[in-house]
Amino acid sequence: MAAGNLHALRHRPLAAYLAGNLVSNCGTWIQNIALAVLVYRLTDGDTFWVGVVGFSQFAAYGLLAPWSGRAADRFDRRHLGMAAGVANAAIGAALAAVAALGAASVAVVCVLALLAGTATAFATPAVKALVTGLAPPEDVGRAIALDSASYNVARVLGPLLGAAVVAGVGVPWAFALNGAASLGLTVGLLAAGPVLRPRARPSASSASATASLAEAVRVVRADPLLLSAFAVVAAVSTASDAVTTLGPELSVDVYGRSDTFAGVLVGAFGLGAIVSVLTLSPALRTTPGRLVGRCSVMAAGLLVLALARGDALGLAALVVAGGGYLAGNTEASTSIQLGVDDADRGRISALWSIAFLGLRPVSSLVLGTTASVAGARVAAAVATVPLALTVIALVRLARRRATAPVAAI
């Protein structure tokens, strides 16, 4: 994100939304660290169960995508986001209560994580789709870049705060803090005002939820560049799950630190994303070659993490991986948002949710199981597989484009 993108903050609706979303996302990351540490402690250091909780947290994104995308095109997107903020505040309070009372178990945590994921799954397509309405057309690209920057600032601050809170005053307080922070999105959307109301889409009411998502899939498949952008979003998101799922085990078994050091590891990944944000000027319509570089940087960082013997090199590797993650996700997501009509943006955003978060349940289980059987180092190496496959596919696409005959004029 070039420094000029900050000029988009002069638009009050965008600034209000970004401030509220930053607070809410910080709370989410505080809770993510607390969940990973709590389950790691409850199961005597079995990373498999950390992966199970991750599965519970993200499963709703894939399952509910047909309905969440349709809702984002039919209903007031602002109201959906506000409702999710209130719901997550209540779930954060419930987690704090069961942890404080000593009633927390893996089953209870999984159920509450599933409920939190369900609320967020309905809000995510709506919130992503409304970002393009927060600024005039000439600043839409900047608004999307700032939205990504806000998420990644939270990815630095949230885990560090989560580690400090868990180590200092305990897991229940981390959950309570997220409960309060979750209301930030609601407050931000209230302050942004009714400008976020989407245009009506007459045909949305007649289409079924699954047919609506299937239509979005057809739109993406018809555009090779759009399809490649979705592939990158899926690959970088799936690989990024390694940082949270493997964090406690890397901290304790590999680096000899306390389990709360997981927050520092996740924060290092976020720091790399911030460095990338400050230097990235994303193309509105990217190319396969550019995306190959983004994925390759992230894969290299994760491979060094898998091989690193000391925490200093491990942290440096995560900074590199975080930079590749952010660059790939921002450029691909910007291309997706600007490559579709506004009337289709809710459904396309639901498809984006599947790519970005809907595959994370599988990743959580695979990485958690791998770490439980073979160790966190092997699991970190396994996390590079989706990136490698995506790079291969992008290289083939780039070669086809380079050898395609030029149409006669």
Side-chain angles (χ1 to χ4, degrees):
M1 182 188 73
N5 288 345
L6 295 176
H7 292 302
L9 292 175
R10 69 185 183 275
H11 306 297
R12 185 187 63 83
L14 177 63
Y17 158 75
L18 288 174
N21 202 37
L22 174 62
V23 172
S24 179
N25 282 330
C26 281
T28 298
W29 280 106
I30 290 171
Q31 179 161 292
N32 287 345
I33 295 301
L35 282 171
V37 171
L38 174 61
V39 173
Y40 191 75
R41 292 175 179 177
L42 287 173
T43 59
D44 295 323
D46 192 342
T47 304
F48 169 76
W49 292 107
V50 179
V52 170
V53 172
F55 176 89
S56 302
Q57 188 174 4
F58 296 109
Y61 287 90
L63 295 174
L64 298 178
W67 296 272
S68 63
R70 188 170 182 237
D73 282 333
R74 293 189 62 193
F75 303 117
D76 191 312
R77 294 165 181 169
R78 184 176 58 144
H79 291 168
L80 290 172
M82 290 163 58
V86 173
N88 280 321
I91 294 166
L95 280 166
V98 297
L101 295 173
S105 65
V106 173
V108 171
V109 170
C110 283
V111 169
L112 291 174
L114 178 62
L115 291 175
T118 300
T120 307
F122 266 105
T124 297
V127 172
K128 295 300 293 186
L130 63 78
V131 170
T132 57
L134 298 175
E138 64 271 16
D139 283 333
V140 166
R142 295 185 179 96
I144 294 173
L146 285 170
D147 185 40
S148 182
S150 171
Y151 177 84
N152 285 286
V153 168
R155 194 162 191 157
V156 176
L157 298 179
L160 295 177
L161 287 172
V165 171
V166 171
V169 292
V171 169
W173 284 101
F175 290 140
L177 187 57
N178 171 62
S182 294
L183 294 175
L185 179 60
T186 300
V187 173
L189 291 175
L190 277 172
V195 68
L196 305 180
R197 197 165 316 223
R199 293 199 298 266
R201 186 176 186 273
S203 63
S205 59
S206 61
S208 69
T210 52
S212 180
L213 190 63
E215 185 178 340
V217 171
R218 286 194 292 272
V219 170
V220 172
R221 290 184 62 184
D223 185 339
L225 286 179
L226 198 57
L227 182 60
S228 66
F230 268 97
V232 170
V233 170
V236 298
S237 175
T238 302
S240 72
D241 190 69
V243 187
T244 304
T245 300
L246 305 178
E249 184 173 339
L250 284 170
S251 299
V252 175
D253 293 345
V254 176
Y255 300 136
R257 299 285 198 129
S258 68
D259 52 17
T260 56
F261 188 70
V264 179
L265 296 176
V266 179
F269 187 88
L271 177 61
I274 293 300
V275 172
S276 182
V277 162
L278 294 175
T279 58
L280 178 67
S281 181
L284 298 186
R285 288 288 277 176
T286 187
T287 64
R290 288 171 64 98
L291 294 176
V292 164
R294 311 311 195 197
C295 292
S296 298
V297 168
M298 185 177 182
L302 290 176
L303 281 176
V304 173
L305 174 68
L307 299 172
R309 294 297 175 184
D311 55 15
L313 182 57
L315 289 170
L318 283 170
V319 171
V320 172
Y325 157 82
L326 188 281
N329 184 56
T330 298
E331 189 164 301
S333 296
T334 301
S335 182
I336 290 168
Q337 287 294 328
L338 298 181
V340 298
D341 295 332
D342 184 69
D344 294 323
R345 193 164 280 124
R347 292 174 299 165
I348 295 296
S349 293
L351 206 58
W352 179 93
S353 295
I354 295 177
F356 187 64
L357 294 170
L359 300 179
R360 293 277 296 273
V362 177
S363 177
S364 295
L365 284 181
V366 169
L367 295 178
T369 302
T370 302
S372 183
V373 173
R377 291 187 184 277
V378 174
V382 169
T384 66
V385 171
L387 294 167
L389 294 176
T390 300
V391 165
I392 293 171
L394 289 171
V395 168
R396 293 180 63 184
L397 175 60
R399 288 176 177 172
R400 284 201 302 268
R401 285 167 56 86
T403 58
V406 179
I409 297 177

